[in-house]
Amino acid sequence: MSNVLFICGKNRWRSPTAEQVFAEHPGIECASAGLSHDAETPLSVELIEWADLIFVMEQGHKRKLSAGFKASLVGKRVVCLNIPDNYKFMEPALVKLLKTKVTPFLPQGHGHFRQGASE
């Protein structure tokens, strides 16, 4: 089983949608968090340590993640999905975009991650 963490700003729309969309994907456990101090589930060192693969929604999230959690990210794979904050929770267009962008990175059988198209 591989642990996948989805991160956005406030953990209200994009990352919780991703967590829900991929909750039943075989071979992974999902969680989501936000980088903002007022996020629904604020990002923690424990969540980063738990994760085998981390997805952020925007380049700004990747920069903020690196700045705030640099020591915890050693050896972690962080993938930027480049999904702007233009969507609501479980919006069909967001669900479709997430499936298109995330699925290539997820394990297929036996918990081995596939190489994705872009990081």
Side-chain angles (χ1 to χ4, degrees):
M1 189 69 70
S2 298
N3 298 328
V4 178
L5 178 60
F6 296 98
I7 298 172
C8 66
K10 295 192 177 193
N11 190 228
R12 292 197 175 103
W13 295 333
R14 291 172 291 173
S15 57
T17 297
E19 180 181 9
Q20 186 165 325
V21 166
F22 294 101
E24 301 300 318
H25 189 87
I28 66 170
E29 293 274 335
C30 294
S32 66
L35 287 161
S36 178
H37 68 280
D38 63 343
E40 294 292 319
T41 301
L43 184 60
S44 66
V45 169
E46 292 77 20
L47 274 172
I48 293 172
E49 289 174 352
W50 168 86
D52 297 307
L53 176 60
I54 300 170
F55 289 101
V56 296
M57 298 297 159
E58 301 174 26
Q59 287 296 331
H61 297 149
K62 194 169 186 176
R63 287 190 294 274
K64 193 170 181 180
L65 176 66
S66 294
F69 296 90
K70 190 172 189 105
S72 301
L73 291 168
V74 174
K76 298 288 181 178
R77 185 169 183 203
V78 179
V79 177
C80 181
L81 298 172
N82 294 307
I83 297 177
D85 193 8
N86 299 340
Y87 303 94
K88 301 289 185 198
F89 180 70
M90 294 305 290
E91 185 174 322
L94 175 57
V95 170
K96 183 178 180 184
L97 195 54
L98 285 164
K99 286 181 178 179
T100 299
K101 291 189 172 220
V102 172
T103 303
F105 292 95
L106 296 181
Q108 50 182 3
H110 306 97
H112 296 294
F113 288 109
R114 292 186 247 177
Q115 291 298 326
S118 65
E119 291 186 50

